[in-house]
mmCIF file with all atom_site columns, all heavy atoms in Angstrom:
data_model
loop_
_atom_site.group_PDB
_atom_site.id
_atom_site.type_symbol
_atom_site.label_atom_id
_atom_site.label_alt_id
_atom_site.label_comp_id
_atom_site.label_asym_id
_atom_site.label_entity_id
_atom_site.label_seq_id
_atom_site.pdbx_PDB_ins_code
_atom_site.Cartn_x
_atom_site.Cartn_y
_atom_site.Cartn_z
_atom_site.occupancy
_atom_site.B_iso_or_equiv
_atom_site.pdbx_formal_charge
_atom_site.auth_seq_id
_atom_site.auth_comp_id
_atom_site.auth_asym_id
_atom_site.auth_atom_id
_atom_site.pdbx_PDB_model_num
ATOM 1  N N   . LYS A 1 13 ? -9.313 -13.509 4.385  1.00 0.00 ? 34 LYS A N   1
ATOM 2  C CA  . LYS A 1 13 ? -8.477 -14.623 4.839  1.00 0.00 ? 34 LYS A CA  1
ATOM 3  C C   . LYS A 1 13 ? -7.776 -14.435 6.179  1.00 0.00 ? 34 LYS A C   1
ATOM 4  O O   . LYS A 1 13 ? -7.413 -15.420 6.811  1.00 0.00 ? 34 LYS A O   1
ATOM 5  C CB  . LYS A 1 13 ? -7.412 -14.937 3.774  1.00 0.00 ? 34 LYS A CB  1
ATOM 6  C CG  . LYS A 1 13 ? -8.000 -15.447 2.468  1.00 0.00 ? 34 LYS A CG  1
ATOM 7  C CD  . LYS A 1 13 ? -6.933 -15.935 1.536  1.00 0.00 ? 34 LYS A CD  1
ATOM 8  C CE  . LYS A 1 13 ? -6.321 -17.168 2.075  1.00 0.00 ? 34 LYS A CE  1
ATOM 9  N NZ  . LYS A 1 13 ? -6.301 -18.352 1.294  1.00 0.00 ? 34 LYS A NZ  1
ATOM 10 N N   . ALA A 1 61 ? -1.619 -14.353 -6.069 1.00 0.00 ? 82 ALA A N   1
ATOM 11 C CA  . ALA A 1 61 ? -1.715 -15.813 -6.223 1.00 0.00 ? 82 ALA A CA  1
ATOM 12 C C   . ALA A 1 61 ? -1.043 -16.531 -5.051 1.00 0.00 ? 82 ALA A C   1
ATOM 13 O O   . ALA A 1 61 ? -1.585 -17.511 -4.514 1.00 0.00 ? 82 ALA A O   1
ATOM 14 C CB  . ALA A 1 61 ? -1.090 -16.253 -7.544 1.00 0.00 ? 82 ALA A CB  1
ATOM 15 N N   . LYS A 1 62 ? 0.114  -16.038 -4.645 1.00 0.00 ? 83 LYS A N   1
ATOM 16 C CA  . LYS A 1 62 ? 0.823  -16.632 -3.509 1.00 0.00 ? 83 LYS A CA  1
ATOM 17 C C   . LYS A 1 62 ? -0.028 -16.544 -2.243 1.00 0.00 ? 83 LYS A C   1
ATOM 18 O O   . LYS A 1 62 ? -0.191 -17.527 -1.521 1.00 0.00 ? 83 LYS A O   1
ATOM 19 C CB  . LYS A 1 62 ? 2.161  -15.931 -3.285 1.00 0.00 ? 83 LYS A CB  1
ATOM 20 C CG  . LYS A 1 62 ? 2.891  -16.371 -2.040 1.00 0.00 ? 83 LYS A CG  1
ATOM 21 C CD  . LYS A 1 62 ? 4.126  -15.522 -1.773 1.00 0.00 ? 83 LYS A CD  1
ATOM 22 C CE  . LYS A 1 62 ? 4.714  -15.853 -0.411 1.00 0.00 ? 83 LYS A CE  1
ATOM 23 N NZ  . LYS A 1 62 ? 5.813  -14.965 -0.059 1.00 0.00 ? 83 LYS A NZ  1
ATOM 24 N N   . LEU A 1 63 ? -0.571 -15.360 -1.974 1.00 0.00 ? 84 LEU A N   1
ATOM 25 C CA  . LEU A 1 63 ? -1.354 -15.158 -0.753 1.00 0.00 ? 84 LEU A CA  1
ATOM 26 C C   . LEU A 1 63 ? -2.650 -15.961 -0.767 1.00 0.00 ? 84 LEU A C   1
ATOM 27 O O   . LEU A 1 63 ? -3.114 -16.414 0.281  1.00 0.00 ? 84 LEU A O   1
ATOM 28 C CB  . LEU A 1 63 ? -1.647 -13.672 -0.549 1.00 0.00 ? 84 LEU A CB  1
ATOM 29 C CG  . LEU A 1 63 ? -0.438 -12.804 -0.193 1.00 0.00 ? 84 LEU A CG  1
ATOM 30 C CD1 . LEU A 1 63 ? -0.817 -11.338 -0.181 1.00 0.00 ? 84 LEU A CD1 1
ATOM 31 C CD2 . LEU A 1 63 ? 0.164  -13.219 1.141  1.00 0.00 ? 84 LEU A CD2 1
ATOM 32 N N   . GLN A 1 64 ? -3.236 -16.161 -1.943 1.00 0.00 ? 85 GLN A N   1
ATOM 33 C CA  . GLN A 1 64 ? -4.464 -16.957 -2.029 1.00 0.00 ? 85 GLN A CA  1
ATOM 34 C C   . GLN A 1 64 ? -4.231 -18.393 -1.561 1.00 0.00 ? 85 GLN A C   1
ATOM 35 O O   . GLN A 1 64 ? -5.146 -19.034 -1.060 1.00 0.00 ? 85 GLN A O   1
ATOM 36 C CB  . GLN A 1 64 ? -5.018 -16.945 -3.455 1.00 0.00 ? 85 GLN A CB  1
ATOM 37 C CG  . GLN A 1 64 ? -5.675 -15.639 -3.809 1.00 0.00 ? 85 GLN A CG  1
ATOM 38 C CD  . GLN A 1 64 ? -6.088 -15.541 -5.265 1.00 0.00 ? 85 GLN A CD  1
ATOM 39 O OE1 . GLN A 1 64 ? -5.483 -16.151 -6.150 1.00 0.00 ? 85 GLN A OE1 1
ATOM 40 N NE2 . GLN A 1 64 ? -7.118 -14.755 -5.520 1.00 0.00 ? 85 GLN A NE2 1
ATOM 41 N N   . GLY A 1 65 ? -3.001 -18.873 -1.702 1.00 0.00 ? 86 GLY A N   1
ATOM 42 C CA  . GLY A 1 65 ? -2.672 -20.231 -1.297 1.00 0.00 ? 86 GLY A CA  1
ATOM 43 C C   . GLY A 1 65 ? -2.301 -20.379 0.170  1.00 0.00 ? 86 GLY A C   1
ATOM 44 O O   . GLY A 1 65 ? -2.031 -21.485 0.626  1.00 0.00 ? 86 GLY A O   1
ATOM 45 N N   . LEU A 1 66 ? -2.285 -19.287 0.912  1.00 0.00 ? 87 LEU A N   1
ATOM 46 C CA  . LEU A 1 66 ? -1.899 -19.326 2.320  1.00 0.00 ? 87 LEU A CA  1
ATOM 47 C C   . LEU A 1 66 ? -3.115 -19.138 3.217  1.00 0.00 ? 87 LEU A C   1
ATOM 48 O O   . LEU A 1 66 ? -4.141 -18.626 2.782  1.00 0.00 ? 87 LEU A O   1
ATOM 49 C CB  . LEU A 1 66 ? -0.875 -18.225 2.615  1.00 0.00 ? 87 LEU A CB  1
ATOM 50 C CG  . LEU A 1 66 ? 0.419  -18.259 1.802  1.00 0.00 ? 87 LEU A CG  1
ATOM 51 C CD1 . LEU A 1 66 ? 1.286  -17.049 2.134  1.00 0.00 ? 87 LEU A CD1 1
ATOM 52 C CD2 . LEU A 1 66 ? 1.180  -19.556 2.037  1.00 0.00 ? 87 LEU A CD2 1
ATOM 53 N N   . SER A 1 67 ? -2.953 -19.521 4.475  1.00 0.00 ? 88 SER A N   1
ATOM 54 C CA  . SER A 1 67 ? -4.032 -19.301 5.442  1.00 0.00 ? 88 SER A CA  1
ATOM 55 C C   . SER A 1 67 ? -3.437 -19.084 6.828  1.00 0.00 ? 88 SER A C   1
ATOM 56 O O   . SER A 1 67 ? -2.252 -19.308 7.062  1.00 0.00 ? 88 SER A O   1
ATOM 57 C CB  . SER A 1 67 ? -4.992 -20.502 5.456  1.00 0.00 ? 88 SER A CB  1
ATOM 58 O OG  . SER A 1 67 ? -4.299 -21.676 5.837  1.00 0.00 ? 88 SER A OG  1
ATOM 59 N N   . GLY A 1 68 ? -4.275 -18.610 7.730  1.00 0.00 ? 89 GLY A N   1
ATOM 60 C CA  . GLY A 1 68 ? -3.884 -18.428 9.120  1.00 0.00 ? 89 GLY A CA  1
ATOM 61 C C   . GLY A 1 68 ? -2.714 -17.478 9.287  1.00 0.00 ? 89 GLY A C   1
ATOM 62 O O   . GLY A 1 68 ? -2.574 -16.487 8.570  1.00 0.00 ? 89 GLY A O   1
ATOM 63 N N   . GLU A 1 70 ? 0.325  -17.948 8.602  1.00 0.00 ? 91 GLU A N   1
ATOM 64 C CA  . GLU A 1 70 ? 1.188  -17.932 7.421  1.00 0.00 ? 91 GLU A CA  1
ATOM 65 C C   . GLU A 1 70 ? 0.720  -16.845 6.436  1.00 0.00 ? 91 GLU A C   1
ATOM 66 O O   . GLU A 1 70 ? 1.535  -16.126 5.861  1.00 0.00 ? 91 GLU A O   1
ATOM 67 C CB  . GLU A 1 70 ? 1.170  -19.310 6.756  1.00 0.00 ? 91 GLU A CB  1
ATOM 68 C CG  . GLU A 1 70 ? 2.223  -19.515 5.710  1.00 0.00 ? 91 GLU A CG  1
ATOM 69 C CD  . GLU A 1 70 ? 2.223  -20.938 5.172  1.00 0.00 ? 91 GLU A CD  1
ATOM 70 O OE1 . GLU A 1 70 ? 1.130  -21.511 4.916  1.00 0.00 ? 91 GLU A OE1 1
ATOM 71 O OE2 . GLU A 1 70 ? 3.326  -21.478 4.993  1.00 0.00 ? 91 GLU A OE2 1
ATOM 72 N N   . PHE A 1 71 ? -0.588 -16.729 6.257  1.00 0.00 ? 92 PHE A N   1
ATOM 73 C CA  . PHE A 1 71 ? -1.128 -15.660 5.409  1.00 0.00 ? 92 PHE A CA  1
ATOM 74 C C   . PHE A 1 71 ? -0.771 -14.303 5.994  1.00 0.00 ? 92 PHE A C   1
ATOM 75 O O   . PHE A 1 71 ? -0.267 -13.427 5.295  1.00 0.00 ? 92 PHE A O   1
ATOM 76 C CB  . PHE A 1 71 ? -2.658 -15.771 5.261  1.00 0.00 ? 92 PHE A CB  1
ATOM 77 C CG  . PHE A 1 71 ? -3.243 -14.582 4.554  1.00 0.00 ? 92 PHE A CG  1
ATOM 78 C CD1 . PHE A 1 71 ? -3.323 -14.558 3.170  1.00 0.00 ? 92 PHE A CD1 1
ATOM 79 C CD2 . PHE A 1 71 ? -3.668 -13.464 5.260  1.00 0.00 ? 92 PHE A CD2 1
ATOM 80 C CE1 . PHE A 1 71 ? -3.820 -13.448 2.503  1.00 0.00 ? 92 PHE A CE1 1
ATOM 81 C CE2 . PHE A 1 71 ? -4.163 -12.349 4.609  1.00 0.00 ? 92 PHE A CE2 1
ATOM 82 C CZ  . PHE A 1 71 ? -4.242 -12.343 3.228  1.00 0.00 ? 92 PHE A CZ  1
ATOM 83 N N   . ALA A 1 74 ? 2.956  -13.298 5.581  1.00 0.00 ? 95 ALA A N   1
ATOM 84 C CA  . ALA A 1 74 ? 3.313  -12.951 4.205  1.00 0.00 ? 95 ALA A CA  1
ATOM 85 C C   . ALA A 1 74 ? 2.659  -11.632 3.787  1.00 0.00 ? 95 ALA A C   1
ATOM 86 O O   . ALA A 1 74 ? 3.292  -10.793 3.132  1.00 0.00 ? 95 ALA A O   1
ATOM 87 C CB  . ALA A 1 74 ? 2.908  -14.074 3.255  1.00 0.00 ? 95 ALA A CB  1
ATOM 88 N N   . TYR A 1 75 ? 1.418  -11.437 4.177  1.00 0.00 ? 96 TYR A N   1
ATOM 89 C CA  . TYR A 1 75 ? 0.698  -10.203 3.828  1.00 0.00 ? 96 TYR A CA  1
ATOM 90 C C   . TYR A 1 75 ? 1.333  -8.993  4.507  1.00 0.00 ? 96 TYR A C   1
ATOM 91 O O   . TYR A 1 75 ? 1.577  -7.971  3.863  1.00 0.00 ? 96 TYR A O   1
ATOM 92 C CB  . TYR A 1 75 ? -0.775 -10.331 4.228  1.00 0.00 ? 96 TYR A CB  1
ATOM 93 C CG  . TYR A 1 75 ? -1.575 -9.062  4.006  1.00 0.00 ? 96 TYR A CG  1
ATOM 94 C CD1 . TYR A 1 75 ? -2.018 -8.713  2.739  1.00 0.00 ? 96 TYR A CD1 1
ATOM 95 C CD2 . TYR A 1 75 ? -1.872 -8.217  5.074  1.00 0.00 ? 96 TYR A CD2 1
ATOM 96 C CE1 . TYR A 1 75 ? -2.742 -7.547  2.534  1.00 0.00 ? 96 TYR A CE1 1
ATOM 97 C CE2 . TYR A 1 75 ? -2.589 -7.050  4.871  1.00 0.00 ? 96 TYR A CE2 1
ATOM 98 C CZ  . TYR A 1 75 ? -3.030 -6.722  3.605  1.00 0.00 ? 96 TYR A CZ  1
ATOM 99 O OH  . TYR A 1 75 ? -3.742 -5.566  3.404  1.00 0.00 ? 96 TYR A OH  1
#
Side-chain angles (χ1 to χ4, degrees):
K34 295 189 69 124
K83 173 187 172 186
L84 291 173
Q85 285 173 331
L87 302 176
S88 61
E91 192 175 43
F92 172 87
Y96 175 78

